[in-house]
């Protein structure tokens, strides 16, 4: 970390990690461990290898294009944490479709706002949200794709049918692949929390988000040996960042359906994550759950939190229960991460926001 005394700028380490090519985000896993698990869930039938994730996402990407979408079009999603959400992400990256992940808790008016602001061509939503979908006044131009069956709306398709891989394998999308020839092509639009007004759409390009992933990978030293579990929404900037950082280096992502002890404790015991990201409110519930044992954290080398300050009492209780120090991360939808605490910051530094992430310079004015 360096400090420029003339203009009060503090800089993180030099970024030496190469920019991640989003359109080829599975390449490391495919080249080094194609038959290893990429996405781990509590349901063994829903644990996917890099090879399977690649084949199915090829089919979904091809299906989106056949439905009328073209590179640069916005594709919105209203999905909880599930393997299909990651299939959707990878598929869009491959062919230059712009991701618009929505907060799954959005009300119909909030969905309308996001659809109108983004100009989305397709919305992918679980059929369970159909009653809310019926109240929308803004419609995606090409239609709605449902995850799940039994709905009564006139859906464009079901996501399950888009994923289908027949005996001959996935389709060949070589001619459709996004070349990333222009680094300013949009890749994802995140919506801000809306704490100071209506949520704003933050647009990342293939270049800016590729460097966000590179900074995160270097900051946390994420490798293909790591198993990363974000027990928060992977439609949010934080869960999205942790998950895709792991996938891009050939690491494994643990898909936690939600951040509750009933879901996370079994995953800690079966998936053996090495890096976890939990919100402070969930950490408090977890550490005070009588079922939580010290051995549940034996595999974890880095426990991280963000979104709110970790109280000193929570830090103390968590350390007593797990033997781990909670390392905090601060970021923004526009630039993630910005600062990161080390794994064992000195006691007198625990009130700070941490050190600037690699490739990041900050100035407090």
């Amino acid at each position: 970390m360096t400090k420029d005394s003339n203009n009060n700028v503090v800089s993180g380490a030099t970024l030496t990690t190469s920019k991640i090519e989003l359109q080829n985000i599975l390449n490391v896993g495919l080249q080094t461990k194609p038959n290893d698990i990429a996405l781990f869930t509590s349901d063994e039938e829903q644990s996917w290898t890099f090879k399977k994730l690649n084949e199915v996402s090829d089919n979904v990407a091809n299906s989106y294009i056949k439905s009328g979408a073209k590179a640069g079009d916005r594709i919105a999603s209203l999905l909880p944490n599930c393997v299909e959400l990651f299939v959707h992400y990878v598929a869009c990256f491959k062919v230059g479709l712009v991701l618009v992940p929505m907060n799954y808790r959005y009300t119909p008016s909030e969905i309308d706002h996001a659809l109108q602001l983004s100009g989305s061509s397709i919305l992918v939503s679980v059929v369970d949200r159909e009653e809310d979908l019926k109240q929308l006044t803004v419609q995606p131009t090409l239609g709605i794709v449902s995850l799940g069956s039994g709905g009564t709306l006139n859906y464009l398709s079901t996501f399950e049918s888009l994923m289908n891989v027949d005996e001959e394998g996935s389709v060949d999308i070589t001619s459709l692949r996004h070349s990333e020839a222009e680094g300013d092509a949009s890749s994802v639009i995140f919506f801000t929390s809306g704490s100071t007004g209506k949520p704003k759409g933050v647009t990342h390009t293939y270049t800016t988000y590729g460097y966000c992933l590179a900074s995160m990978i270097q900051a946390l030293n994420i490798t293909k040996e790591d198993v990363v579990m974000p027990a928060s929404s992977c439609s949010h900037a934080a869960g999205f960042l942790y998950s895709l950082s792991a996938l891009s280096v050939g690491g494994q992502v643990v898909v936690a359906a939600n951040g509750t002890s009933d879901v996370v404790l079994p995953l800690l015991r079966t998936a053996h994550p090495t890096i976890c990201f939990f919100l402070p409110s969930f950490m408090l519930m977890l550490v005070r759950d009588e079922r939580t044992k010290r051995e549940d954290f034996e595999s974890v080398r880095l426990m991280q939190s963000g979104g709110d300050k970790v109280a000193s009492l929570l830090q103390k209780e968590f350390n007593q229960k797990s033997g781990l120090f909670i390392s905090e991360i601060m970021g923004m939808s526009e630039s993630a991460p910005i600062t990161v605490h080390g794994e064992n910051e000195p006691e007198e530094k625990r009130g700070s926001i941490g050190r600037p992430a690699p490739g990041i310079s900050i100035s407090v004015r």
Side-chain angles (χ1 to χ4, degrees):
M1 182 175 69
T2 60
K3 182 175 181 179
D4 186 332
S5 58
N6 293 324
N7 55 17
N8 205 31
V9 174
V10 180
S11 300
T14 300
L15 183 62
T16 57
T17 301
S18 298
K19 175 175 69 74
I20 299 302
E21 294 185 349
L22 300 180
Q23 76 278 24
N24 298 316
I25 198 164
L26 300 181
N27 271 16
V28 174
L30 290 172
Q31 292 168 4
T32 63
K33 46 196 290 190
N35 296 312
D36 284 7
I37 298 296
L39 302 174
F40 183 98
T41 74
S42 55
D43 181 354
E44 291 185 2
E45 294 182 359
Q46 283 290 302
S47 293
W48 287 29
T49 65
F50 282 94
K51 180 181 178 181
K52 182 177 179 181
L53 179 55
N54 184 57
E55 290 179 344
V56 175
S57 59
D58 276 358
N59 277 13
V60 172
N62 181 64
S63 296
Y64 284 155
I65 299 300
K66 287 178 63 178
S67 297
K70 57 186 183 299
D73 278 4
R74 277 70 169 151
I75 311 296
S77 58
L78 185 66
L79 299 171
N81 286 358
C82 55
V83 293
E84 292 85 357
L85 180 62
F86 291 98
V87 172
H88 165 72
Y89 287 164
V90 174
C92 288
F93 280 149
K94 285 180 174 180
V95 293
L97 298 172
V98 184
L99 294 168
V100 184
M102 294 185 191
N103 185 329
Y104 187 64
R105 296 180 179 178
Y106 270 0
T107 63
S109 62
E110 291 170 322
I111 299 170
D112 271 338
H113 173 70
L115 288 174
Q116 183 173 35
L117 197 63
S118 65
S120 293
S121 298
I122 294 174
L123 169 62
V124 183
S125 172
V126 288
V127 75
D128 294 350
R129 295 297 304 271
E130 186 172 78
E131 291 307 309
D132 290 323
L133 299 179
K134 290 178 179 178
Q135 299 179 46
L136 298 182
T137 60
V138 178
Q139 294 293 324
T141 54
L142 294 176
I144 300 175
V145 172
S146 69
L147 176 58
S149 58
T152 58
L153 286 176
N154 183 26
Y155 291 106
L156 179 65
S157 179
T158 65
F159 197 77
E160 289 84 352
S161 67
L162 304 188
M163 293 194 300
N164 185 49
V165 177
D166 59 29
E167 294 181 359
E168 297 180 0
S170 61
V171 297
D172 183 358
I173 64 165
T174 303
S175 63
L176 302 177
R177 276 190 174 275
H178 183 54
S179 64
E180 201 184 358
E182 297 181 7
D184 60 353
S186 299
S187 63
V188 58
I189 299 174
F190 293 117
F191 282 97
T192 57
S193 63
S195 57
T196 58
K198 281 194 172 183
K200 297 175 286 293
V202 174
T203 303
H204 276 283
T205 66
Y206 274 74
T207 294
T208 62
Y209 206 76
Y211 278 118
C212 282
L213 292 179
S215 179
M216 183 71 165
I217 290 163
Q218 185 173 323
L220 306 190
N221 190 27
I222 305 173
T223 73
K224 65 179 181 180
E225 307 303 324
D226 277 308
V227 179
V228 177
M229 178 166 67
S232 62
S233 171
C234 292
S235 294
H236 183 268
F240 189 96
L241 179 69
Y242 278 86
S243 302
L244 295 184
S245 295
L247 282 181
S248 65
V249 297
Q252 185 181 124
V253 175
V254 182
V255 184
N258 57 58
T260 63
S261 296
D262 288 343
V263 168
V264 172
L265 276 176
L267 289 172
L268 281 170
R269 295 164 183 170
T270 56
H272 308 295
T274 59
I275 300 174
C276 294
F277 175 81
F278 298 158
L279 297 175
S281 56
F282 169 65
M283 282 190 169
L284 184 63
M285 290 188 289
L286 183 66
V287 77
R288 293 183 176 179
D289 192 312
E290 61 182 13
R291 298 171 296 175
T292 305
K293 308 298 180 185
R294 192 181 187 91
E295 52 267 29
D296 293 332
F297 303 94
E298 286 181 346
S299 64
V300 181
R301 70 168 178 85
L302 185 58
M303 177 62 70
Q304 293 212 289
S305 188
D308 199 358
K309 185 64 185 169
V310 174
S312 57
L313 178 60
L314 172 57
Q315 186 72 260
K316 181 179 179 180
E317 288 189 25
F318 198 86
N319 182 261
Q320 290 174 341
K321 174 76 78 166
S322 67
L324 296 168
F325 170 74
I326 302 171
S327 167
E328 296 181 72
I329 186 170
M330 185 186 80
M332 298 171 63
S333 300
E334 292 86 347
S335 176
I338 295 177
T339 65
V340 183
H341 270 290
E343 295 184 33
N344 292 289
E345 288 288 341
E347 183 73 32
E348 64 270 17
K349 292 290 186 180
R350 290 186 180 176
S352 75
I353 61 172
R355 302 171 184 271
I360 297 291
S361 294
I362 60 177
S363 176
V364 180
R365 302 179 182 179

